[in-house]
Amino acid sequence: MIARRSLDRRRLLAMLAALPAGPAAARLGETAARPGETRDLDVFHDVVQMIGGVATLSPPLLDGCTEEFTRAFGAPAITALAKLARRHRTLDALEANADAQIADQLTWIALFLYSGETAEGSVYYPWCLGWQSLDFATAPGQCGGPFDHWAGPHT
């Protein structure tokens, strides 16, 4: 007779830990990074952060950029961009060594981050970085102050 093992909490957590990091990793078909090497998706996020030029990006904007970039250029484009970024660690060096296709992708990222626009429209408009560059405006649905705050002089 074979003894049945019950599924206790420790065993469940061990099984969950063995799963891929999330849908983005599965979509990219990535395996764990080699020791000392950052995963392609993490490198891609670093590049997006550099292009945005801000300390942090909102999760909806960063996730949206990843999803829409993959939709526009395919998952292999993230790997190719990450590979180039590993060799050229600054934005200037990355741009200087990018071929025409990667240069177009870098431009696409900048446009996405500051406009929130995709092929389907302005889906990410409320989170785009354009609002951070305008100290006198707020994204639709984001309160800038009490009602009629815009009627007074700008301070």
Side-chain angles (χ1 to χ4, degrees), residues 73-97:
F73 300 104
I78 288 181
T79 302
L81 184 55
K83 184 177 179 181
L84 184 64
R86 283 189 183 98
R87 289 194 316 262
H88 306 286
R89 302 219 177 247
T90 66
L91 189 55
D92 289 338
L94 187 60
E95 290 174 333
N97 291 285

Side-chain angles (χ1 to χ4, degrees), residues 65-77:
C65 185
T66 304
E67 185 175 324
E68 298 298 334
F69 184 91
T70 303
R71 185 176 295 141
F73 300 104

Side-chain angles (χ1 to χ4, degrees), residues 1 4 10 19 21 29 34 40 54-55 76 81 85 87 100 103 110 142:
M1 181 174 182
R4 290 182 53 169
R10 209 171 259 165
L19 293 174
R34 287 175 262 159
D40 290 347
V54 295
L81 184 55
R87 289 194 316 262
Q142 307 294 317

Side-chain angles (χ1 to χ4, degrees), residues 3 11 29-30 32 40 43 61 71 75 85 88 105 114 126 148:
R11 199 157 165 240
E30 290 189 279
D40 290 347
V43 174
L61 189 64
R71 185 176 295 141
H88 306 286
Q105 293 167 358
Y114 280 88
D148 205 27

Side-chain angles (χ1 to χ4, degrees), residues 85-144:
R86 283 189 183 98
R87 289 194 316 262
H88 306 286
R89 302 219 177 247
T90 66
L91 189 55
D92 289 338
L94 187 60
E95 290 174 333
N97 291 285
D99 62 19
Q101 185 177 13
I102 289 182
D104 287 344
Q105 293 167 358
L106 296 174
T107 300
W108 183 95
I109 292 169
L111 290 171
F112 175 85
L113 290 176
Y114 280 88
S115 70
E117 291 187 9
T118 67
E120 286 78 38
S122 297
V123 179
Y124 300 92
Y125 184 70
W127 300 283
C128 74
L129 296 179
W131 294 112
Q132 292 181 21
S133 67
L134 303 170
D135 65 349
F136 59 86
T138 57
Q142 307 294 317
C143 186

